[in-house]
Amino acid sequence: MTTTTTGTTAVTGAVGTAHTRVEGRAKVTGAARYAGEIPFAELAHGWLVLSTVARGRIRSVESDPVLAMPGVLAVLHHGNAPRVDGDYMGMLGRPDPIVEVFQHDRVPFMGWPVALVVAETSEQAREAAESVVVHYDAEPHDVAFFAGRPGTYTPDAAGMRTEKGDLEAELAASAHVVDAEYTTPEEHHSPMEPHAATARWDSGRLEIVDSNQGSTWVAGELAKLFSLDPASVRVRSEHVGGAFGSKGVRVHQILAAMAATVLDRPVRVVMTRRQMFSLVGYRSPTAQRVRLGADSDGRLRAFDHQGYNLTSTVHEFVEPSAGFGRPLYDADAHHTVNRVVRLDVPTPTWMRAPGEAPGSFALESALDELAEKCGMDPIALRARNEPDVGPVSGLPFSSRNLLSCFQEGARRFGWADRDPRPGLRREGRWLLGTGTAAATFPVLVGPATAAVTAEADGTFTVRITAADVGTGARTALTLIAADALEVAPERVQVRIADSDFGPAMIAGGSMGTRSWGWAVTDAVRELREQLALGIDIPEQGITARSDTTEALGTLTQKERHSFGAQFAEVAVDVTSGEVRVRRMLGIFAAGRIINPLTARSQFIGGMTWGLSMALHEEAIRDQVSGGLVGADLAGYHVAAHADIPPIEADWVADPDADDPVGIKGIGEIGIVGAAAAIANAVWHATGVRHRQLPIRPDRVLLAGTAPGGDQEAGEGRDA
């Protein structure tokens, strides 16, 4: 660790220095306990029963025979469950009506919760739950998703549509036009740790031990649902084994609280992997149409991106794929729109880089197609259309170092030696190709409170309701606090994920560390002002608190984004259709990097997920039953270790001057553009465009290989 001296004060330089996770030893030795592992006296276990029809009504739940089974304590369902009130506005808007679990007899999708069996052991609860007989009045369901289907509409919400210029006129005047359709499938969060929560009443307070992305968020929602004083709900979530957008307010916390209230003892509810496929959200499938028109020199005249996704019949969620290109490329006519259709399916939710991940596949593939038509290098085409201000907003960029990412990436990847013609490189039965794509993700920040205590023993304690979902946030906050205090990180203890510590933004939207770091920095500044008065530190310490709400309100309007350039090399087996990614490189401009060790892991993790998105992940919904086929990790394929090539991730200097630490956020951007870079590399290897993800071997074989670029796979129009 570097150390400098300013006057008589040693400055550690902790920020920017690689640091192992402060909780790393506890995790690898098993000392760190997750939500489903923490012991409680007299703990009972709840097991969910889910609907077997995709639409209809519950006629009856035969609970009496189950109550007679060994160890069974209760069977909760719509006929006897405690009442809750879901008519409220939460931290992130109106809740999905699924939070009003067991409040009525309607079934809006396959896998809807219809009962909870509570027993002395999880084994007894599971056996009893599998014995519950539920009678339904089934109704016809509709789960078929495709672009332009009847009932599709544009949501009445901000950001769903943008229009600038005469699109049709600019397309007609363009020398080169791409008009193509792209599809991405339903994709699911698959965190290593399942969703788990334990509820108990302790001295008049409802206490939840959970695995979530924001304890304040969950506590606030539970207080509203159960009509409780917010001060009477406490939620803790110290260790989280992955989240990716799925670990918010879900039915397991609500049902654990219901059962604990009914039985007056602690109750734990843990979801199975199959239950997670129905109850924790997922990424909606998308159908996207991209129309690009350019002059002979590659300057964009027309930009049109239309995105379609599905949602449930009970709640509206939009996967805003059409918004991806709004900060990236300018055009005389710039049109984007997101559309949605309601079906008898579970409600989708945020999933790593919502909108940007599927949107980047479509748009960055279309840019590659346009580069081919223009006879331009794909990087040169992107540079040709680099905007000076926000293409839609007209606002200045806080910083924009996309071209630096491409320049550094091209140098390290050896892009200059690439022959742009497809289908020429070959090693035996393998065709080789390389591809690239741009990445961007918005820079967001939310209000947060923090407390920093100077202890009598010379150490410091930070308390903030942050959530470390596996990203290394706890360690990053330790380094931020150490630098602000000008002490070594070993003198700082960061305590997180307890709603009693006060309101704080969730871990999501790549804004967690930015939001929390701002609050910690402000609290340290206040503490140092108190310590500068020369006060002796009492036994209980001296504490300073912060609230960033007012400071965030003074931020000037700008286009704030992280950027990146993705590169991939693939080999395609012409005999089996197998696609193997041989190497990947990502160069990012994503603000000040707090901890290079965990930051690189975040980038590589996102790029790995992008590879999995490109080649493996695809949930199939059965049109007859309305449920998923193979709703487990045997049927839902994710990239395994053997599928992952050497992946290199790095960054260029890009601090955000409007943030006290210079942070932008890195959690999402690693996945953005990765699938497009791989798809573009497959075209370069084979001469065939794949516009449908994942690029499975059967699809490669069906499309064939045609060096020369005349074939295409998937839906599309080329003008």
Side-chain angles (χ1 to χ4, degrees), residues 288-361:
Q288 302 174 60
R289 184 184 182 187
V290 179
R291 294 190 291 172
L292 302 174
D295 288 338
S296 57
D297 64 354
R299 186 185 71 84
L300 283 171
R301 300 184 64 126
F303 180 107
D304 181 38
H305 191 168
Q306 303 172 38
Y308 301 82
N309 76 279
L310 59 74
T311 192
S312 70
T313 59
V314 297
H315 190 62
E316 181 181 272
F317 182 86
V318 181
E319 181 75 23
S321 55
F324 167 71
R326 291 173 186 169
L328 271 180
Y329 308 113
D330 201 0
D332 298 314
H334 198 294
H335 289 211
T336 64
V337 63
N338 291 290
R339 298 187 177 96
V340 67
V341 62
R342 294 184 181 275
L343 298 174
D344 300 313
V345 296
T347 306
T349 194
W350 303 279
M351 185 167 169
R352 200 171 194 172
E356 280 77 10
S360 63
F361 164 65

Side-chain angles (χ1 to χ4, degrees), residues 467-484:
D468 192 333
V469 295
T471 59
R474 187 191 327 247
T475 306
L477 292 175
T478 300
L479 302 183
I480 291 169
D483 259 17

Side-chain angles (χ1 to χ4, degrees), residues 211-215 217 237 243-248 467 469 505-508 516:
S211 176
N212 66 52
Q213 293 177 238
S215 294
W217 176 26
S237 179
F244 314 118
S246 72
K247 287 187 175 173
V469 295
M505 184 46 60
I506 64 169
W516 308 322

